[in-house]
Structure formats: structure tokens, C-alpha cells
Amino acid sequence: MDITIHTTALPHVDPEESVTFYRDVLGFEVRSDVGTGTMRWITVGPVGQPDTCILLAPPAADPGITEDERRMISEMMAKGTYGWILLATKDLDTTFDRVQATDAEVVQEPTLQPYGVRDCAFRDPAGNLVRIQQLD
């Protein structure tokens, strides 16, 4: 079996703020942008890695979601407990400095975890947790 991870999804609240974060702060490229207003589905990904994408999507656009579920999703996003992603870089300190220099909310400065991973964490404009770990 040959399976790869092609796309993962994160919710957005404000597509422009999310694009600015992933494109201008993290340096990702925008690959597609469909829809209008807040109902936009945007794919972004690392430059030079066309097979890896993040889909930034409206959080509760699925017509099968109930109003209670929409409210719960909104509450979890506001608390920063709904979506998260783990990224990696060969230069964690430079990446941290670059992201910290923006308006991104720092959740954790670069830290060597007890399980041997050195990482840091931010929240994107929608409240998603973005962990970035050091690659050796």
C-alpha cells in the first residue's frame, strides 16, 4: 500500500487573516482560493512541496452540522481547542523569531520537551494551534 498525506484541513474565521498568516508569516504559497467572502476554501503549502497542502476552510459549512454543533465548533475555536497542526523546520529558532515578530500569539517558546522533541507553538488568526518542531 502506498498512501501519502496530501491535504489536511484547518478552519478559518477570516480568510484574509489566515492567508496572511500562512503566506506572509510562514512563507507558504497559496495554491487555490475558491468561494467568496468568508465562505472560501483556500489551499496553501510549503514552497517546493506541491504534494503537501493545508486546506483553510469555513468551519461549519457542512449542511449536515446542527446549530448546536456549529455553536460548539465556534466556542472551541475561540478557546483554541478545535484545530491544530504540527509543522517542522531545520531552523526552529529563526522560524520562531520570524513568527514572533508578527502579531501571532505565542503559546510556547522553543522548548526541549521531556520526550526529546524541541518545539514551539503559536495560534493562527482562527485560534488553531500551530506547533513547529526542530528537524535534525
Side-chain angles (χ1 to χ4, degrees), residues 34-74:
V34 299
T36 59
T38 58
M39 296 301 285
R40 288 169 53 193
W41 286 257
I42 304 155
T43 54
V44 297
V47 174
Q49 298 177 41
D51 295 333
T52 305
C53 297
I54 299 171
L55 171 64
L56 305 171
D62 186 329
I65 294 177
T66 67
E67 283 307 312
D68 285 344
E69 291 167 331
R70 279 190 176 82
R71 186 176 53 254
M72 177 66 73
I73 289 169
S74 294

PDB file of all heavy atoms in Angstrom, residues 34-74:
ATOM      1  N   VAL A  34     -11.026  29.424  -3.680  1.00  0.00           N
ATOM      2  CA  VAL A  34     -12.351  29.404  -4.296  1.00  0.00           C
ATOM      3  C   VAL A  34     -13.392  29.836  -3.278  1.00  0.00           C
ATOM      4  O   VAL A  34     -13.217  29.680  -2.082  1.00  0.00           O
ATOM      5  CB  VAL A  34     -12.702  28.013  -4.871  1.00  0.00           C
ATOM      6  CG1 VAL A  34     -11.721  27.612  -5.955  1.00  0.00           C
ATOM      7  CG2 VAL A  34     -12.744  26.967  -3.776  1.00  0.00           C
ATOM      8  N   GLY A  35     -14.491  30.380  -3.778  1.00  0.00           N
ATOM      9  CA  GLY A  35     -15.549  30.868  -2.924  1.00  0.00           C
ATOM     10  C   GLY A  35     -15.478  32.376  -2.806  1.00  0.00           C
ATOM     11  O   GLY A  35     -14.639  33.029  -3.444  1.00  0.00           O
ATOM     12  N   THR A  36     -16.363  32.920  -1.968  1.00  0.00           N
ATOM     13  CA  THR A  36     -16.391  34.368  -1.771  1.00  0.00           C
ATOM     14  C   THR A  36     -16.613  34.673  -0.297  1.00  0.00           C
ATOM     15  O   THR A  36     -17.128  33.838   0.452  1.00  0.00           O
ATOM     16  CB  THR A  36     -17.530  35.031  -2.581  1.00  0.00           C
ATOM     17  OG1 THR A  36     -18.772  34.468  -2.159  1.00  0.00           O
ATOM     18  CG2 THR A  36     -17.337  34.836  -4.074  1.00  0.00           C
ATOM     19  N   GLY A  37     -16.249  35.891   0.075  1.00  0.00           N
ATOM     20  CA  GLY A  37     -16.460  36.332   1.448  1.00  0.00           C
ATOM     21  C   GLY A  37     -15.799  35.397   2.442  1.00  0.00           C
ATOM     22  O   GLY A  37     -14.660  34.983   2.250  1.00  0.00           O
ATOM     23  N   THR A  38     -16.536  35.051   3.504  1.00  0.00           N
ATOM     24  CA  THR A  38     -15.985  34.123   4.488  1.00  0.00           C
ATOM     25  C   THR A  38     -16.159  32.671   4.081  1.00  0.00           C
ATOM     26  O   THR A  38     -15.626  31.773   4.726  1.00  0.00           O
ATOM     27  CB  THR A  38     -16.645  34.334   5.878  1.00  0.00           C
ATOM     28  OG1 THR A  38     -18.054  34.148   5.747  1.00  0.00           O
ATOM     29  CG2 THR A  38     -16.335  35.727   6.424  1.00  0.00           C
ATOM     30  N   MET A  39     -16.904  32.429   3.004  1.00  0.00           N
ATOM     31  CA  MET A  39     -17.101  31.061   2.502  1.00  0.00           C
ATOM     32  C   MET A  39     -16.066  30.773   1.423  1.00  0.00           C
ATOM     33  O   MET A  39     -16.393  30.578   0.245  1.00  0.00           O
ATOM     34  CB  MET A  39     -18.525  30.890   1.970  1.00  0.00           C
ATOM     35  CG  MET A  39     -19.589  31.047   3.044  1.00  0.00           C
ATOM     36  SD  MET A  39     -19.402  29.862   4.405  1.00  0.00           S
ATOM     37  CE  MET A  39     -20.008  28.382   3.622  1.00  0.00           C
ATOM     38  N   ARG A  40     -14.822  30.767   1.807  1.00  0.00           N
ATOM     39  CA  ARG A  40     -13.717  30.488   0.886  1.00  0.00           C
ATOM     40  C   ARG A  40     -12.965  29.245   1.346  1.00  0.00           C
ATOM     41  O   ARG A  40     -12.773  29.031   2.537  1.00  0.00           O
ATOM     42  CB  ARG A  40     -12.761  31.691   0.823  1.00  0.00           C
ATOM     43  CG  ARG A  40     -13.371  32.846   0.070  1.00  0.00           C
ATOM     44  CD  ARG A  40     -12.600  34.126   0.208  1.00  0.00           C
ATOM     45  NE  ARG A  40     -11.187  34.023  -0.119  1.00  0.00           N
ATOM     46  CZ  ARG A  40     -10.311  34.988   0.195  1.00  0.00           C
ATOM     47  NH1 ARG A  40     -10.703  36.081   0.802  1.00  0.00           N
ATOM     48  NH2 ARG A  40      -9.050  34.846  -0.126  1.00  0.00           N
ATOM     49  N   TRP A  41     -12.544  28.454   0.366  1.00  0.00           N
ATOM     50  CA  TRP A  41     -11.719  27.277   0.596  1.00  0.00           C
ATOM     51  C   TRP A  41     -10.379  27.573  -0.062  1.00  0.00           C
ATOM     52  O   TRP A  41     -10.294  27.739  -1.295  1.00  0.00           O
ATOM     53  CB  TRP A  41     -12.364  26.038  -0.015  1.00  0.00           C
ATOM     54  CG  TRP A  41     -13.548  25.554   0.765  1.00  0.00           C
ATOM     55  CD1 TRP A  41     -13.569  24.488   1.619  1.00  0.00           C
ATOM     56  CD2 TRP A  41     -14.876  26.093   0.777  1.00  0.00           C
ATOM     57  NE1 TRP A  41     -14.825  24.341   2.163  1.00  0.00           N
ATOM     58  CE2 TRP A  41     -15.642  25.317   1.671  1.00  0.00           C
ATOM     59  CE3 TRP A  41     -15.482  27.179   0.146  1.00  0.00           C
ATOM     60  CZ2 TRP A  41     -16.977  25.569   1.926  1.00  0.00           C
ATOM     61  CZ3 TRP A  41     -16.822  27.438   0.404  1.00  0.00           C
ATOM     62  CH2 TRP A  41     -17.553  26.641   1.282  1.00  0.00           C
ATOM     63  N   ILE A  42      -9.335  27.632   0.746  1.00  0.00           N
ATOM     64  CA  ILE A  42      -8.029  28.080   0.275  1.00  0.00           C
ATOM     65  C   ILE A  42      -7.009  26.986   0.595  1.00  0.00           C
ATOM     66  O   ILE A  42      -6.930  26.512   1.731  1.00  0.00           O
ATOM     67  CB  ILE A  42      -7.624  29.382   0.998  1.00  0.00           C
ATOM     68  CG1 ILE A  42      -8.710  30.456   0.809  1.00  0.00           C
ATOM     69  CG2 ILE A  42      -6.264  29.877   0.521  1.00  0.00           C
ATOM     70  CD1 ILE A  42      -8.743  31.490   1.900  1.00  0.00           C
ATOM     71  N   THR A  43      -6.241  26.609  -0.403  1.00  0.00           N
ATOM     72  CA  THR A  43      -5.169  25.657  -0.126  1.00  0.00           C
ATOM     73  C   THR A  43      -3.845  26.401  -0.136  1.00  0.00           C
ATOM     74  O   THR A  43      -3.584  27.239  -0.992  1.00  0.00           O
ATOM     75  CB  THR A  43      -5.120  24.489  -1.127  1.00  0.00           C
ATOM     76  OG1 THR A  43      -5.062  25.008  -2.452  1.00  0.00           O
ATOM     77  CG2 THR A  43      -6.324  23.593  -0.989  1.00  0.00           C
ATOM     78  N   VAL A  44      -3.038  26.079   0.859  1.00  0.00           N
ATOM     79  CA  VAL A  44      -1.698  26.644   0.985  1.00  0.00           C
ATOM     80  C   VAL A  44      -0.741  25.496   1.238  1.00  0.00           C
ATOM     81  O   VAL A  44      -1.142  24.416   1.665  1.00  0.00           O
ATOM     82  CB  VAL A  44      -1.620  27.671   2.146  1.00  0.00           C
ATOM     83  CG1 VAL A  44      -2.524  28.868   1.893  1.00  0.00           C
ATOM     84  CG2 VAL A  44      -1.952  27.024   3.483  1.00  0.00           C
ATOM     85  N   GLY A  45       0.521  25.746   0.975  1.00  0.00           N
ATOM     86  CA  GLY A  45       1.506  24.709   1.241  1.00  0.00           C
ATOM     87  C   GLY A  45       2.907  25.242   1.138  1.00  0.00           C
ATOM     88  O   GLY A  45       3.137  26.344   0.630  1.00  0.00           O
ATOM     89  N   PRO A  46       3.859  24.462   1.639  1.00  0.00           N
ATOM     90  CA  PRO A  46       5.250  24.887   1.587  1.00  0.00           C
ATOM     91  C   PRO A  46       5.745  24.966   0.147  1.00  0.00           C
ATOM     92  O   PRO A  46       5.445  24.100  -0.672  1.00  0.00           O
ATOM     93  CB  PRO A  46       5.999  23.805   2.354  1.00  0.00           C
ATOM     94  CG  PRO A  46       4.982  22.904   2.949  1.00  0.00           C
ATOM     95  CD  PRO A  46       3.678  23.174   2.290  1.00  0.00           C
ATOM     96  N   VAL A  47       6.507  26.007  -0.142  1.00  0.00           N
ATOM     97  CA  VAL A  47       7.114  26.174  -1.467  1.00  0.00           C
ATOM     98  C   VAL A  47       8.015  24.965  -1.745  1.00  0.00           C
ATOM     99  O   VAL A  47       8.764  24.521  -0.882  1.00  0.00           O
ATOM    100  CB  VAL A  47       7.934  27.481  -1.521  1.00  0.00           C
ATOM    101  CG1 VAL A  47       8.678  27.598  -2.840  1.00  0.00           C
ATOM    102  CG2 VAL A  47       7.022  28.677  -1.286  1.00  0.00           C
ATOM    103  N   GLY A  48       7.882  24.408  -2.949  1.00  0.00           N
ATOM    104  CA  GLY A  48       8.711  23.270  -3.336  1.00  0.00           C
ATOM    105  C   GLY A  48       8.181  21.927  -2.851  1.00  0.00           C
ATOM    106  O   GLY A  48       8.826  20.905  -3.052  1.00  0.00           O
ATOM    107  N   GLN A  49       7.018  21.921  -2.189  1.00  0.00           N
ATOM    108  CA  GLN A  49       6.413  20.670  -1.728  1.00  0.00           C
ATOM    109  C   GLN A  49       4.957  20.613  -2.217  1.00  0.00           C
ATOM    110  O   GLN A  49       4.027  20.700  -1.431  1.00  0.00           O
ATOM    111  CB  GLN A  49       6.467  20.582  -0.203  1.00  0.00           C
ATOM    112  CG  GLN A  49       7.872  20.581   0.353  1.00  0.00           C
ATOM    113  CD  GLN A  49       7.878  20.567   1.867  1.00  0.00           C
ATOM    114  OE1 GLN A  49       7.088  19.869   2.495  1.00  0.00           O
ATOM    115  NE2 GLN A  49       8.772  21.333   2.457  1.00  0.00           N
ATOM    116  N   PRO A  50       4.772  20.469  -3.532  1.00  0.00           N
ATOM    117  CA  PRO A  50       3.419  20.551  -4.087  1.00  0.00           C
ATOM    118  C   PRO A  50       2.477  19.439  -3.650  1.00  0.00           C
ATOM    119  O   PRO A  50       1.271  19.552  -3.806  1.00  0.00           O
ATOM    120  CB  PRO A  50       3.659  20.500  -5.605  1.00  0.00           C
ATOM    121  CG  PRO A  50       4.965  19.787  -5.753  1.00  0.00           C
ATOM    122  CD  PRO A  50       5.774  20.183  -4.556  1.00  0.00           C
ATOM    123  N   ASP A  51       3.000  18.391  -3.069  1.00  0.00           N
ATOM    124  CA  ASP A  51       2.143  17.275  -2.655  1.00  0.00           C
ATOM    125  C   ASP A  51       1.668  17.383  -1.217  1.00  0.00           C
ATOM    126  O   ASP A  51       1.037  16.458  -0.701  1.00  0.00           O
ATOM    127  CB  ASP A  51       2.880  15.953  -2.848  1.00  0.00           C
ATOM    128  CG  ASP A  51       3.166  15.688  -4.312  1.00  0.00           C
ATOM    129  OD1 ASP A  51       2.404  16.186  -5.173  1.00  0.00           O
ATOM    130  OD2 ASP A  51       4.152  14.992  -4.608  1.00  0.00           O
ATOM    131  N   THR A  52       1.969  18.491  -0.548  1.00  0.00           N
ATOM    132  CA  THR A  52       1.546  18.686   0.833  1.00  0.00           C
ATOM    133  C   THR A  52       0.766  19.982   0.928  1.00  0.00           C
ATOM    134  O   THR A  52       1.290  21.044   0.591  1.00  0.00           O
ATOM    135  CB  THR A  52       2.766  18.746   1.773  1.00  0.00           C
ATOM    136  OG1 THR A  52       3.543  17.573   1.598  1.00  0.00           O
ATOM    137  CG2 THR A  52       2.332  18.871   3.215  1.00  0.00           C
ATOM    138  N   CYS A  53      -0.487  19.899   1.370  1.00  0.00           N
ATOM    139  CA  CYS A  53      -1.354  21.079   1.414  1.00  0.00           C
ATOM    140  C   CYS A  53      -2.116  21.173   2.730  1.00  0.00           C
ATOM    141  O   CYS A  53      -2.399  20.171   3.366  1.00  0.00           O
ATOM    142  CB  CYS A  53      -2.406  21.012   0.308  1.00  0.00           C
ATOM    143  SG  CYS A  53      -1.779  21.015  -1.358  1.00  0.00           S
ATOM    144  N   ILE A  54      -2.432  22.383   3.077  1.00  0.00           N
ATOM    145  CA  ILE A  54      -3.390  22.664   4.145  1.00  0.00           C
ATOM    146  C   ILE A  54      -4.576  23.338   3.477  1.00  0.00           C
ATOM    147  O   ILE A  54      -4.404  24.318   2.749  1.00  0.00           O
ATOM    148  CB  ILE A  54      -2.799  23.601   5.213  1.00  0.00           C
ATOM    149  CG1 ILE A  54      -1.566  22.982   5.878  1.00  0.00           C
ATOM    150  CG2 ILE A  54      -3.870  23.942   6.263  1.00  0.00           C
ATOM    151  CD1 ILE A  54      -0.819  23.941   6.790  1.00  0.00           C
ATOM    152  N   LEU A  55      -5.752  22.811   3.726  1.00  0.00           N
ATOM    153  CA  LEU A  55      -6.985  23.437   3.258  1.00  0.00           C
ATOM    154  C   LEU A  55      -7.526  24.300   4.379  1.00  0.00           C
ATOM    155  O   LEU A  55      -7.835  23.796   5.467  1.00  0.00           O
ATOM    156  CB  LEU A  55      -8.018  22.378   2.868  1.00  0.00           C
ATOM    157  CG  LEU A  55      -9.426  22.891   2.571  1.00  0.00           C
ATOM    158  CD1 LEU A  55      -9.430  23.806   1.346  1.00  0.00           C
ATOM    159  CD2 LEU A  55     -10.383  21.722   2.404  1.00  0.00           C
ATOM    160  N   LEU A  56      -7.593  25.604   4.138  1.00  0.00           N
ATOM    161  CA  LEU A  56      -8.197  26.540   5.081  1.00  0.00           C
ATOM    162  C   LEU A  56      -9.656  26.650   4.672  1.00  0.00           C
ATOM    163  O   LEU A  56      -9.956  27.061   3.547  1.00  0.00           O
ATOM    164  CB  LEU A  56      -7.484  27.888   5.025  1.00  0.00           C
ATOM    165  CG  LEU A  56      -5.970  27.832   5.256  1.00  0.00           C
ATOM    166  CD1 LEU A  56      -5.327  29.176   4.958  1.00  0.00           C
ATOM    167  CD2 LEU A  56      -5.655  27.373   6.673  1.00  0.00           C
ATOM    168  N   ALA A  57     -10.540  26.267   5.565  1.00  0.00           N
ATOM    169  CA  ALA A  57     -11.947  26.133   5.180  1.00  0.00           C
ATOM    170  C   ALA A  57     -12.865  26.779   6.205  1.00  0.00           C
ATOM    171  O   ALA A  57     -12.528  26.871   7.387  1.00  0.00           O
ATOM    172  CB  ALA A  57     -12.284  24.648   5.049  1.00  0.00           C
ATOM    173  N   PRO A  58     -14.051  27.198   5.753  1.00  0.00           N
ATOM    174  CA  PRO A  58     -15.045  27.687   6.712  1.00  0.00           C
ATOM    175  C   PRO A  58     -15.350  26.563   7.702  1.00  0.00           C
ATOM    176  O   PRO A  58     -15.510  25.407   7.302  1.00  0.00           O
ATOM    177  CB  PRO A  58     -16.260  28.012   5.859  1.00  0.00           C
ATOM    178  CG  PRO A  58     -15.777  28.025   4.450  1.00  0.00           C
ATOM    179  CD  PRO A  58     -14.549  27.187   4.379  1.00  0.00           C
ATOM    180  N   PRO A  59     -15.449  26.859   8.976  1.00  0.00           N
ATOM    181  CA  PRO A  59     -15.504  25.798   9.977  1.00  0.00           C
ATOM    182  C   PRO A  59     -16.792  24.983  10.009  1.00  0.00           C
ATOM    183  O   PRO A  59     -16.776  23.830  10.376  1.00  0.00           O
ATOM    184  CB  PRO A  59     -15.325  26.553  11.297  1.00  0.00           C
ATOM    185  CG  PRO A  59     -15.752  27.941  11.011  1.00  0.00           C
ATOM    186  CD  PRO A  59     -15.417  28.181   9.563  1.00  0.00           C
ATOM    187  N   ALA A  60     -17.908  25.534   9.675  1.00  0.00           N
ATOM    188  CA  ALA A  60     -19.148  24.788   9.840  1.00  0.00           C
ATOM    189  C   ALA A  60     -20.002  24.885   8.590  1.00  0.00           C
ATOM    190  O   ALA A  60     -21.212  25.056   8.652  1.00  0.00           O
ATOM    191  CB  ALA A  60     -19.896  25.310  11.057  1.00  0.00           C
ATOM    192  N   ALA A  61     -19.383  24.753   7.429  1.00  0.00           N
ATOM    193  CA  ALA A  61     -20.104  24.884   6.162  1.00  0.00           C
ATOM    194  C   ALA A  61     -20.873  23.624   5.793  1.00  0.00           C
ATOM    195  O   ALA A  61     -21.770  23.673   4.968  1.00  0.00           O
ATOM    196  CB  ALA A  61     -19.141  25.245   5.051  1.00  0.00           C
ATOM    197  N   ASP A  62     -20.521  22.493   6.402  1.00  0.00           N
ATOM    198  CA  ASP A  62     -21.201  21.234   6.089  1.00  0.00           C
ATOM    199  C   ASP A  62     -22.686  21.344   6.442  1.00  0.00           C
ATOM    200  O   ASP A  62     -23.032  21.630   7.590  1.00  0.00           O
ATOM    201  CB  ASP A  62     -20.544  20.114   6.900  1.00  0.00           C
ATOM    202  CG  ASP A  62     -21.090  18.746   6.545  1.00  0.00           C
ATOM    203  OD1 ASP A  62     -22.280  18.627   6.169  1.00  0.00           O
ATOM    204  OD2 ASP A  62     -20.328  17.772   6.650  1.00  0.00           O
ATOM    205  N   PRO A  63     -23.586  21.105   5.469  1.00  0.00           N
ATOM    206  CA  PRO A  63     -25.019  21.233   5.769  1.00  0.00           C
ATOM    207  C   PRO A  63     -25.520  20.201   6.765  1.00  0.00           C
ATOM    208  O   PRO A  63     -26.599  20.358   7.329  1.00  0.00           O
ATOM    209  CB  PRO A  63     -25.678  21.049   4.389  1.00  0.00           C
ATOM    210  CG  PRO A  63     -24.667  20.361   3.557  1.00  0.00           C
ATOM    211  CD  PRO A  63     -23.325  20.749   4.085  1.00  0.00           C
ATOM    212  N   GLY A  64     -24.730  19.167   7.028  1.00  0.00           N
ATOM    213  CA  GLY A  64     -25.141  18.150   7.989  1.00  0.00           C
ATOM    214  C   GLY A  64     -24.858  18.511   9.438  1.00  0.00           C
ATOM    215  O   GLY A  64     -25.236  17.786  10.353  1.00  0.00           O
ATOM    216  N   ILE A  65     -24.189  19.622   9.643  1.00  0.00           N
ATOM    217  CA  ILE A  65     -23.860  20.039  11.005  1.00  0.00           C
ATOM    218  C   ILE A  65     -25.048  20.777  11.610  1.00  0.00           C
ATOM    219  O   ILE A  65     -25.642  21.649  10.982  1.00  0.00           O
ATOM    220  CB  ILE A  65     -22.602  20.943  10.990  1.00  0.00           C
ATOM    221  CG1 ILE A  65     -21.394  20.123  10.546  1.00  0.00           C
ATOM    222  CG2 ILE A  65     -22.369  21.558  12.356  1.00  0.00           C
ATOM    223  CD1 ILE A  65     -20.129  20.931  10.417  1.00  0.00           C
ATOM    224  N   THR A  66     -25.380  20.418  12.824  1.00  0.00           N
ATOM    225  CA  THR A  66     -26.508  21.056  13.501  1.00  0.00           C
ATOM    226  C   THR A  66     -26.086  22.420  14.061  1.00  0.00           C
ATOM    227  O   THR A  66     -24.888  22.718  14.154  1.00  0.00           O
ATOM    228  CB  THR A  66     -27.020  20.187  14.663  1.00  0.00           C
ATOM    229  OG1 THR A  66     -26.005  20.153  15.680  1.00  0.00           O
ATOM    230  CG2 THR A  66     -27.366  18.779  14.211  1.00  0.00           C
ATOM    231  N   GLU A  67     -27.064  23.205  14.443  1.00  0.00           N
ATOM    232  CA  GLU A  67     -26.764  24.502  15.048  1.00  0.00           C
ATOM    233  C   GLU A  67     -25.995  24.340  16.352  1.00  0.00           C
ATOM    234  O   GLU A  67     -25.101  25.122  16.655  1.00  0.00           O
ATOM    235  CB  GLU A  67     -28.048  25.316  15.263  1.00  0.00           C
ATOM    236  CG  GLU A  67     -28.584  25.938  13.991  1.00  0.00           C
ATOM    237  CD  GLU A  67     -27.545  26.776  13.236  1.00  0.00           C
ATOM    238  OE1 GLU A  67     -26.862  27.606  13.859  1.00  0.00           O
ATOM    239  OE2 GLU A  67     -27.420  26.570  12.020  1.00  0.00           O
ATOM    240  N   ASP A  68     -26.338  23.317  17.134  1.00  0.00           N
ATOM    241  CA  ASP A  68     -25.585  23.052  18.369  1.00  0.00           C
ATOM    242  C   ASP A  68     -24.126  22.734  18.052  1.00  0.00           C
ATOM    243  O   ASP A  68     -23.221  23.185  18.751  1.00  0.00           O
ATOM    244  CB  ASP A  68     -26.212  21.889  19.145  1.00  0.00           C
ATOM    245  CG  ASP A  68     -27.497  22.279  19.854  1.00  0.00           C
ATOM    246  OD1 ASP A  68     -27.758  23.495  19.999  1.00  0.00           O
ATOM    247  OD2 ASP A  68     -28.235  21.364  20.253  1.00  0.00           O
ATOM    248  N   GLU A  69     -23.911  21.941  16.994  1.00  0.00           N
ATOM    249  CA  GLU A  69     -22.530  21.614  16.614  1.00  0.00           C
ATOM    250  C   GLU A  69     -21.792  22.859  16.116  1.00  0.00           C
ATOM    251  O   GLU A  69     -20.612  23.049  16.420  1.00  0.00           O
ATOM    252  CB  GLU A  69     -22.531  20.516  15.551  1.00  0.00           C
ATOM    253  CG  GLU A  69     -22.992  19.183  16.099  1.00  0.00           C
ATOM    254  CD  GLU A  69     -23.294  18.153  15.028  1.00  0.00           C
ATOM    255  OE1 GLU A  69     -23.677  18.536  13.890  1.00  0.00           O
ATOM    256  OE2 GLU A  69     -23.178  16.953  15.334  1.00  0.00           O
ATOM    257  N   ARG A  70     -22.495  23.710  15.353  1.00  0.00           N
ATOM    258  CA  ARG A  70     -21.864  24.961  14.887  1.00  0.00           C
ATOM    259  C   ARG A  70     -21.450  25.825  16.074  1.00  0.00           C
ATOM    260  O   ARG A  70     -20.368  26.385  16.108  1.00  0.00           O
ATOM    261  CB  ARG A  70     -22.815  25.740  13.989  1.00  0.00           C
ATOM    262  CG  ARG A  70     -22.875  25.260  12.584  1.00  0.00           C
ATOM    263  CD  ARG A  70     -23.654  26.234  11.673  1.00  0.00           C
ATOM    264  NE  ARG A  70     -23.600  25.754  10.323  1.00  0.00           N
ATOM    265  CZ  ARG A  70     -24.398  24.815   9.815  1.00  0.00           C
ATOM    266  NH1 ARG A  70     -25.341  24.292  10.572  1.00  0.00           N
ATOM    267  NH2 ARG A  70     -24.265  24.412   8.578  1.00  0.00           N
ATOM    268  N   ARG A  71     -22.329  25.921  17.049  1.00  0.00           N
ATOM    269  CA  ARG A  71     -22.025  26.719  18.228  1.00  0.00           C
ATOM    270  C   ARG A  71     -20.830  26.113  18.977  1.00  0.00           C
ATOM    271  O   ARG A  71     -19.925  26.821  19.397  1.00  0.00           O
ATOM    272  CB  ARG A  71     -23.252  26.811  19.143  1.00  0.00           C
ATOM    273  CG  ARG A  71     -23.044  27.756  20.321  1.00  0.00           C
ATOM    274  CD  ARG A  71     -24.270  27.944  21.191  1.00  0.00           C
ATOM    275  NE  ARG A  71     -24.841  26.668  21.645  1.00  0.00           N
ATOM    276  CZ  ARG A  71     -25.972  26.131  21.172  1.00  0.00           C
ATOM    277  NH1 ARG A  71     -26.674  26.760  20.280  1.00  0.00           N
ATOM    278  NH2 ARG A  71     -26.398  24.979  21.621  1.00  0.00           N
ATOM    279  N   MET A  72     -20.806  24.801  19.115  1.00  0.00           N
ATOM    280  CA  MET A  72     -19.702  24.125  19.813  1.00  0.00           C
ATOM    281  C   MET A  72     -18.386  24.351  19.074  1.00  0.00           C
ATOM    282  O   MET A  72     -17.360  24.642  19.699  1.00  0.00           O
ATOM    283  CB  MET A  72     -19.985  22.623  19.936  1.00  0.00           C
ATOM    284  CG  MET A  72     -18.856  21.848  20.588  1.00  0.00           C
ATOM    285  SD  MET A  72     -18.589  22.280  22.306  1.00  0.00           S
ATOM    286  CE  MET A  72     -20.006  21.522  23.053  1.00  0.00           C
ATOM    287  N   ILE A  73     -18.409  24.239  17.747  1.00  0.00           N
ATOM    288  CA  ILE A  73     -17.196  24.476  16.958  1.00  0.00           C
ATOM    289  C   ILE A  73     -16.713  25.915  17.164  1.00  0.00           C
ATOM    290  O   ILE A  73     -15.529  26.159  17.392  1.00  0.00           O
ATOM    291  CB  ILE A  73     -17.450  24.176  15.465  1.00  0.00           C
ATOM    292  CG1 ILE A  73     -17.609  22.668  15.264  1.00  0.00           C
ATOM    293  CG2 ILE A  73     -16.331  24.732  14.591  1.00  0.00           C
ATOM    294  CD1 ILE A  73     -18.123  22.269  13.892  1.00  0.00           C
ATOM    295  N   SER A  74     -17.635  26.871  17.117  1.00  0.00           N
ATOM    296  CA  SER A  74     -17.255  28.278  17.313  1.00  0.00           C
ATOM    297  C   SER A  74     -16.653  28.498  18.695  1.00  0.00           C
ATOM    298  O   SER A  74     -15.653  29.210  18.841  1.00  0.00           O
ATOM    299  CB  SER A  74     -18.459  29.194  17.130  1.00  0.00           C
ATOM    300  OG  SER A  74     -18.899  29.142  15.799  1.00  0.00           O
TER     301      SER A  74
END
